[in-house]
Amino acid sequence: MESRVDKQTQNSDYLSEFLSLNQVEGFQENYAQDITADNYFGMPIASIILAENKLKDQAVRRLGYFSMEYGLAPSFYNTFTSVRPLNPDNKIPENTVFSNYRLADYFFDVKVDSLIDLPIYSGGLGVLAGDTVKTMADYKLPALAVGILWRSGYFRQRFWFKHGQVPEKMKWEPKSYPGLIPLKNIIKISLKQETISLRLWKYYVYSYKHDYVIPLVLLDADVEPNREDVRRLTDQLYRSDNNWLKAMQRIILGYGGIAAIKELGYDIDTFHLNEGHAAFAFIEKSRGMSEAEVENLKKHFVYTCHTPVEAGHDRFPSDELRNILSDSDFELAQRLGKDRAGVVNLTLLAMNASSAINAVSKNHQMVMHLQFPKYKEQIQYVTNGVHPYTWISRPFMQVYKSFPAVFKNFEDNPMILAKAEELRSDEGFRKAVWQAHQESKSGLCSLLEKWSLKKDAFTVCWARRIAAYKRPSLVLYDVQRLIEIAKITGPIQLILAGKAHPNDNLGSTFVNEMMDKVDGLSNAYDYLKIVILENYDMYFGKALTSGVDVWLNNPLPPFEASGTSGMKALLNGVVQLSTLDGWVVEAADKGIGRIFGYKNGEGKIGNEMDLHMQEDSIALYQALEELVGLYYKTVHGSKNEVDLTSPWIDYMISCIVASAHFNTYRMLDEYKQLIWKLP
Ligand SMILES: *Cc1c(COP(=O)(O)O)cnc(C)c1O
């Protein structure tokens, strides 16, 4: 592939071709130094020309991926560079910490000198979309992604002394964000009473080898002709203040995405709706079509559902939509998405508009079959994965590279990590795995050095979106029991992090509860250190999923559709402590750690509000006590000597073996076969 392009475009002028593909707004003033004959913000511009041309080749099937959010992590992966100094608004802010070492909290912040992640994601759904698009680039697929340019991101979490979180608007500057460019193109979408203008932006998602890209087109309502309240629609991700705003954000993604594809001259065969948020794309695409044509259009749409939680399915009062959409658009939305009388459900709309539907784990498929029995035949599953080169820490990358005979061609085929099994009794490998982990752990400890975290102390982390079903405070349910374990077995360091959606009052009370409990433990710091990090993001996600000894995951089964943070930990040999839910159901017998707690009955969903806190905390502490014990049997004394024969290292190796399955390469192979039906 590369050689063909080299020949084709050798000596030709990449820059003028680039500028004919992209009408960049303010090119001379703002971007001429960063986009040149061979360079795009520090990456090869030739990869853009190659991918854009492939995307216009009528002979191949082209994909359009629609998602409300994308987590791409340029703070540490494929970071673009710019000749201009980094705008301070685009740097990771200093974050505070709430711990049971209040003096350190008072005097210090966590400082990271790095670019912020492109702030167009909120959590797992966005990270999955980002990892998917990166893998499409690694696979050199003719594909394009569509999303929204959130001008104030999701939100910035601030801790307010010990009284919980205060959501703040996030400030960043798109115009100077490396790799992001505004286009001159402004599209219009037409609604019942008004027309809305959207500016198009582009961001190129490069492959791991920098030899290909996926263009990500971002929609922005903050343009002149729009009314003030319309201009704010693409301000903050998942605002839910009222139905109009919620519906409009989704209409902008669906309608705007289709209009943008047309405006930019792309021709897409398969539209992938990542979550029901994007379902309005089908309405826009089918405008003016006969009933038979609409029926045929369904062959070109596929849909991935990501939630088994009731609140995750978007529903809108019909009357609300009737006021927003033109009569014919509303009729189609109503026909395909009508749930109870008077409600349009975007999950139903997406399912009725698609020829292939999938859940994101085997367990989630079971839940969807119970929730939507009418669609049972159609609902398949493709278990989520994580993008290996985003999430493998540098020390572990080194380990995998240093056994080339076993991990042959591992860059193109991370599934080969399963061969770690062959090295299970290889002392050199066991040692390398342990040392790589120690190195990652040192990195994390130095990030938190003011809280005097110790490299030789057992460290466990719970970090994810704060939502009731994820049970963020389970590990703090009985803090006396935690203290007991630490006193008897050895010191424990517990790191917690996560944002609650600003309108999720129940979620926010968990933050308060956690802080309250930690506040009462200031005398225990010698043996039980608890650190709550502000503003959990992908940067911390990487440091934590590679730097702790145990990754704690305790959702209430079966409400976690998949979960992906534990998969990041797998790639770095981090031992799992989890309930039986989401992806873990498929890995429970693989020796990756300890599984504990409540199980939902076969064929039963159960009650999302009945959190089983008491019984599951008992089970959690028992499993934790065993893990702490095993850890301190593995590491001897203050010299940090390690017993390489310890079953602890077998857990670590089993994690690496399992990571061969729970990555986006395996996932994309399944999407290609089952959902997109690509050769
Ligand atoms: C990976 C990741 C998530 C998803 O975590 P889950 O375990 O799926 O809940 C959420 N937020 C960030 C910042 C992540 O990196």
Side-chain angles (χ1 to χ4, degrees):
M1 198 44 79
E2 288 93 317
S3 62
R4 197 185 77 184
V5 163
D6 285 349
K7 263 184 240 130
Q8 266 180 5
T9 45
Q10 227 167 28
N11 305 324
S12 76
D13 185 349
Y14 290 137
L15 181 61
S16 59
E17 195 166 355
F18 177 89
L19 291 174
S20 73
L21 288 162
N22 293 301
Q23 303 174 46
V24 183
E25 172 78 21
F27 178 77
Q28 278 310 331
E29 309 89 277
N30 299 321
Y31 305 104
Q33 284 178 287
D34 285 317
I35 306 175
T36 63
D38 55 1
N39 171 55
Y40 184 82
F41 293 94
M43 299 277 190
I45 199 168
S47 314
I48 293 178
I49 312 297
L50 166 67
E52 290 276 13
N53 284 332
K54 191 164 172 184
L55 197 46
K56 287 183 173 157
D57 178 356
Q58 302 282 336
V60 291
R61 291 258 314 277
R62 290 135 297 165
L63 290 171
Y65 188 81
F66 282 57
S67 180
M68 201 71 154
E69 47 171 315
Y70 293 88
L72 293 159
S75 62
F76 59 86
Y77 179 79
N78 273 357
T79 313
F80 287 113
T81 56
S82 171
V83 296
R84 291 188 286 176
L86 199 53
N87 183 327
D89 280 344
N90 290 340
K91 280 185 157 181
I92 295 183
E94 289 180 9
N95 290 305
T96 62
V97 166
F98 189 92
S99 74
N100 58 337
Y101 183 16
R102 296 293 290 139
L103 205 61
D105 302 352
Y106 185 78
F107 283 112
F108 305 108
D109 288 324
V110 178
K111 292 191 181 79
V112 178
D113 187 27
S114 165
L115 174 73
I116 46 160
D117 288 323
L118 194 56
I120 56 169
Y121 76 100
S122 76
L125 179 69
V127 176
L128 191 270
D131 280 5
T132 301
V133 174
K134 288 174 195 172
T135 313
M136 287 173 168
D138 295 349
Y139 274 32
K140 298 198 171 87
L141 293 182
L144 155 94
V146 178
I148 292 179
L149 187 90
W150 300 106
R151 283 186 167 267
S152 302
Y154 178 44
F155 72 91
R156 165 140 194 230
Q157 179 189 49
R158 283 287 177 112
F159 289 161
W160 183 43
F161 183 50
K162 59 179 178 181
H163 306 294
Q165 78 168 29
V166 184
E168 271 183 8
K169 259 200 175 180
M170 198 227 142
K171 240 179 79 189
W172 70 293
E173 203 207 33
K175 213 173 82 182
S176 61
Y177 191 92
L180 181 63
I181 47 170
L183 303 182
K184 290 196 172 120
N185 313 69
I186 293 185
I187 55 160
K188 288 188 174 9
I189 59 176
S190 49
L191 305 172
K192 183 172 207 154
Q193 317 199 12
E194 61 190 339
T195 301
I196 286 177
S197 299
L198 300 170
R199 149 109 48 215
L200 305 185
W201 296 67
K202 241 187 205 181
Y203 187 81
Y204 284 106
V205 180
Y206 272 76
S207 65
Y208 173 61
K209 292 178 177 165
H210 302 172
D211 56 357
Y212 197 79
V213 298
I214 303 295
L216 168 59
V217 177
L218 296 170
L219 309 155
D220 170 17
D222 192 10
V223 281
E224 257 321 317
N226 291 335
R227 279 199 329 258
E228 185 56 28
D229 59 342
V230 171
R231 291 178 70 161
R232 298 278 81 82
L233 284 171
T234 52
D235 219 23
Q236 276 183 292
L237 177 54
Y238 301 133
R239 285 274 300 273
S240 57
D241 318 30
N242 61 58
N243 272 321
W244 175 75
L245 208 152
K246 266 184 83 172
M248 284 303 292
Q249 292 194 335
R250 284 145 184 83
I251 290 164
I252 285 175
L253 177 64
Y255 283 21
I258 296 290
I261 287 171
K262 193 167 163 200
E263 163 75 12
L264 298 174
Y266 296 111
D267 193 3
I268 295 297
D269 301 286
T270 302
F271 297 90
H272 189 143
L273 310 177
N274 186 46
E275 221 6 308
H277 305 140
F280 287 111
F282 187 83
I283 308 289
E284 169 80 19
K285 192 74 190 165
S286 57
R287 188 164 309 128
M289 285 186 175
S290 70
E291 215 160 296
E293 285 168 330
V294 171
E295 210 42 50
N296 188 55
L297 183 63
K298 295 181 184 175
K299 293 196 191 115
H300 298 271
F301 276 73
V302 302
Y303 163 55
T304 301
C305 178
H306 285 268
T307 180
V309 179
E310 266 305 294
H313 302 291
D314 286 326
R315 292 184 177 86
F316 294 101
S318 295
D319 289 341
E320 190 86 38
L321 288 185
R322 187 182 286 122
N323 283 334
I324 301 174
L325 304 178
S326 74
D327 292 347
S328 56
D329 284 8
F330 172 72
E331 261 163 48
L332 185 59
Q334 169 100 339
R335 179 154 70 79
L336 295 177
K338 195 163 133 193
D339 186 342
R340 306 183 294 270
V343 173
V344 173
N345 178 330
L346 295 194
T347 302
L348 287 184
L349 176 54
M351 288 202 291
N352 289 333
S354 298
S355 57
I357 306 167
N358 73 285
V360 290
S361 73
K362 190 165 198 292
N363 196 56
H364 180 216
Q365 182 196 39
M366 179 281 290
V367 172
M368 281 194 78
H369 283 175
L370 293 172
Q371 283 177 329
F372 305 104
K374 261 178 44 192
Y375 300 83
K376 194 168 171 182
E377 297 298 305
Q378 285 148 273
I379 299 170
Q380 311 183 67
Y381 77 92
V382 177
T383 304
N384 282 344
V386 292
H387 181 249
Y389 311 112
T390 301
W391 298 107
I392 297 175
S393 66
R394 214 173 300 127
F396 267 87
M397 208 63 179
Q398 229 24 65
V399 173
Y400 301 144
K401 281 185 184 156
S402 59
F403 290 83
V406 179
F407 302 126
K408 246 179 275 160
N409 200 13
F410 129 86
E411 271 91 349
D412 291 319
N413 177 26
M415 278 76 99
I416 200 129
L417 289 178
K419 295 219 170 193
E421 193 57 60
E422 292 174 11
L423 293 169
R424 191 177 285 280
S425 44
D426 181 317
E427 195 174 313
F429 183 64
R430 294 177 78 91
K431 191 166 173 189
V433 163
W434 179 261
Q435 282 178 343
H437 176 66
Q438 290 305 100
E439 209 181 303
S440 300
K441 196 173 173 184
S442 300
L444 177 63
C445 291
S446 56
L447 192 67
L448 296 171
E449 72 174 306
K450 303 294 190 219
W451 287 264
S452 65
L453 290 201
K454 296 280 186 302
K455 200 172 101 171
D456 53 2
F458 176 89
T459 306
V460 51
C461 175
W462 185 100
R464 49 189 41 81
R465 199 162 55 78
I466 303 239
Y469 80 89
K470 288 179 183 260
R471 301 189 292 187
S473 60
L474 187 68
V475 68
L476 299 177
Y477 188 80
D478 179 359
V479 284
Q480 284 314 314
R481 177 83 168 93
L482 260 187
I483 290 175
E484 235 170 70
I485 297 172
K487 275 186 173 165
I488 295 168
T489 325
I492 295 176
Q493 307 182 132
L494 170 61
I495 305 177
L496 304 164
K499 294 174 171 179
H501 185 283
N503 293 30
D504 179 2
N505 295 330
L506 180 60
S508 303
T509 62
F510 282 102
V511 185
N512 303 19
E513 184 194 341
M514 287 152 78
M515 289 184 161
D516 245 15
K517 293 218 164 155
V518 172
D519 195 40
L521 292 172
S522 49
N523 293 328
Y525 206 66
D526 288 341
Y527 39 89
L528 176 63
K529 297 182 164 62
I530 307 183
V531 169
I532 310 179
L533 301 180
E534 192 180 59
N535 221 26
Y536 179 52
D537 63 4
M538 292 179 80
Y539 186 91
F540 285 136
K542 170 101 181 218
L544 293 167
T545 53
S546 57
V548 300
D549 300 305
V550 167
W551 193 255
L552 174 62
N553 175 51
N554 47 226
L556 175 75
F559 294 103
E560 187 67 88
S562 167
T564 53
S565 58
M567 301 176 185
K568 302 165 192 169
L570 289 180
L571 284 164
N572 296 297
V574 167
V575 175
Q576 313 277 326
L577 174 55
S578 179
T579 50
L580 194 63
D581 201 9
W583 71 274
V584 176
V585 175
E586 293 160 60
D589 60 350
K590 308 232 180 295
I592 57 173
R594 291 296 312 263
I595 313 292
F596 69 94
Y598 167 83
K599 299 179 178 77
N600 59 299
E602 181 85 31
K604 289 205 183 75
I605 298 183
N607 179 358
E608 193 185 323
M609 285 296 127
D610 182 4
L611 292 175
H612 296 265
M613 293 292 276
Q614 196 190 0
E615 62 197 87
D616 273 12
S617 67
I618 292 171
L620 165 58
Y621 293 128
Q622 194 185 336
L624 186 68
E625 185 166 29
E626 287 163 22
L627 283 176
V628 181
L630 180 58
Y631 177 86
Y632 284 112
K633 264 196 222 134
T634 307
V635 194
H636 302 293
S638 56
K639 281 212 227 109
N640 206 13
E641 269 166 39
V642 58
D643 170 9
L644 289 176
T645 65
S646 167
W648 187 273
I649 297 176
D650 286 292
Y651 277 148
M652 295 178 80
I653 292 174
S654 298
C655 286
I656 296 167
V657 172
S659 76
H661 185 74
F662 296 99
N663 64 62
T664 41
Y665 279 59
R666 184 272 314 153
M667 182 184 89
L668 234 67
D669 288 346
E670 291 179 16
Y671 273 109
K672 280 171 73 175
Q673 195 199 340
L674 288 171
I675 307 298
W676 303 328
K677 306 196 168 68
L678 292 179

